[in-house]
């Protein structure tokens, strides 16, 4: 029987925040397990934020091991910590700890495993949502090279698993990585010479 909070998480259709004030470790572990043991029935990624601690005034409301309880329960479910994770389908199954200095809150942000759209759509959608900080990509939009270059380690591992099952595909992926490494090397040497990257 899922707890009320776990049921709310499983029923979430958009990013939401859950406050763990007053919840003990055992209760937190149970909630996380109930909420995330199965992929959430969503086609788009959401961000599930848990408040695990607060500043001086609110500190006593939180179990001192709340954050640890959240992360170890997630790890037990096969989730990985990824500080670079963002709200895209490819990051499903990751989490990161954050400190909101403005509100003086400690949080654990979870990007849940979701049932997701079809495989192809998911990757494409993920790439469209990745924020390029308004800049233009050096690599062709949506190309395998761009996806490899922009992915964090856990996302890359997941893409490798789903997209590069054959030896030839793995070889192609390695070739892409070598090309990306070369491009970065060229950009680095430009910077070291003091040449603006916008120059040809």
């Amino acid at each position: 029987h899922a707890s009320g909070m776990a049921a709310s998480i499983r029923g979430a259709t958009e990013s939401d925040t859950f406050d763990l004030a007053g919840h003990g470790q055992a209760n937190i572990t149970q909630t996380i397990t109930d909420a995330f043991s199965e992929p959430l029935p969503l086609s788009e990624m959401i961000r599930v934020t848990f408040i695990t601690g607060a500043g001086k005034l609110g500190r006593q409301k939180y179990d001192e091991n709340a954050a640890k309880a959240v992360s170890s329960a997630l790890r037990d479910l096969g989730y990985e910590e990824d500080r670079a994770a963002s709200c895209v389908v490819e990051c499903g199954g990751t989490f990161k700890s954050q400190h909101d200095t403005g509100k003086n809150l400690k949080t654990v942000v979870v990007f849940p495993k979701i049932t997701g759209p079809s495989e192809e759509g998911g990757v494409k959608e993920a790439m469209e949502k990745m924020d390029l900080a308004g800049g233009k990509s050096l690599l062709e939009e949506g190309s395998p090279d761009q996806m490899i270059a922009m992915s964090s380690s856990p996302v890359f591992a997941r893409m490798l698993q789903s997209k590069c099952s054959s030896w030839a595909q793995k070889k192609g992926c390695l070739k892409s990585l070598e090309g990306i490494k070369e491009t970065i090397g060229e950009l680095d040497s430009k910077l070291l010479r003091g040449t603006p990257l916008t120059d040809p």
Side-chain angles (χ1 to χ4, degrees):
H1 171 68
S3 68
M5 187 183 284
S8 302
I9 294 166
R10 291 204 61 77
T13 52
E14 51 190 34
S15 295
D16 207 347
T17 300
F18 297 88
D19 193 345
L20 294 177
H23 291 259
Q25 283 184 70
N27 178 286
I28 292 170
T29 304
Q30 191 60 53
T31 297
I32 297 295
T33 308
D34 289 346
F36 298 113
S37 52
E38 294 289 323
L40 268 59
L42 297 167
S43 62
E44 290 194 354
M45 183 50 65
I46 62 168
R47 179 189 279 105
V48 179
T49 304
F50 293 99
I51 300 172
T52 57
K56 277 183 191 158
L57 296 172
R59 190 173 296 156
Q60 68 279 11
K61 293 185 202 162
Y62 296 89
D63 188 301
E64 59 177 1
N65 291 312
K68 204 185 280 181
V70 173
S71 11
S72 57
L74 286 167
R75 282 200 184 93
D76 288 347
L77 295 171
Y79 277 65
E80 292 173 48
E81 186 159 7
D82 179 6
R83 293 184 188 287
S86 56
C87 201
V88 294
V89 175
E90 293 299 305
C91 288
T94 61
F95 66 94
K96 58 183 175 182
S97 302
Q98 287 188 325
H99 188 180
D100 183 333
T101 43
K103 295 179 185 159
N104 206 0
L105 293 174
K106 287 184 177 168
T107 61
V108 175
V109 181
V110 183
F111 300 104
K113 292 177 182 175
I114 58 174
T115 50
S118 68
E119 186 63 41
E120 288 307 311
V123 171
K124 193 163 172 286
E125 210 172 284
M127 293 311 299
E128 281 167 9
K129 283 193 179 178
M130 274 194 188
D131 182 14
L132 289 175
K136 257 186 76 169
S137 175
L138 288 170
L139 303 164
E140 190 192 329
E141 291 290 333
S143 66
D145 284 2
Q146 190 203 30
M147 289 165 73
I148 290 167
M150 287 175 62
S151 61
S152 62
S153 300
V155 173
F156 176 71
R158 216 165 286 128
M159 284 201 302
L160 196 61
Q161 215 173 4
S162 64
K163 300 277 174 206
C164 303
S165 45
S166 74
W167 184 80
Q169 286 168 326
K170 285 189 174 72
K171 201 175 170 194
C173 179
L174 182 63
K175 203 171 170 208
S176 283
L177 283 170
E178 283 166 354
I180 292 161
K181 193 178 168 191
E182 207 171 293
T183 306
I184 292 169
E186 285 165 12
L187 295 174
D188 273 350
S189 45
K190 260 190 177 184
L191 287 172
L192 289 169
R193 289 198 304 271
T195 314
L197 292 180
T198 44
D199 286 6

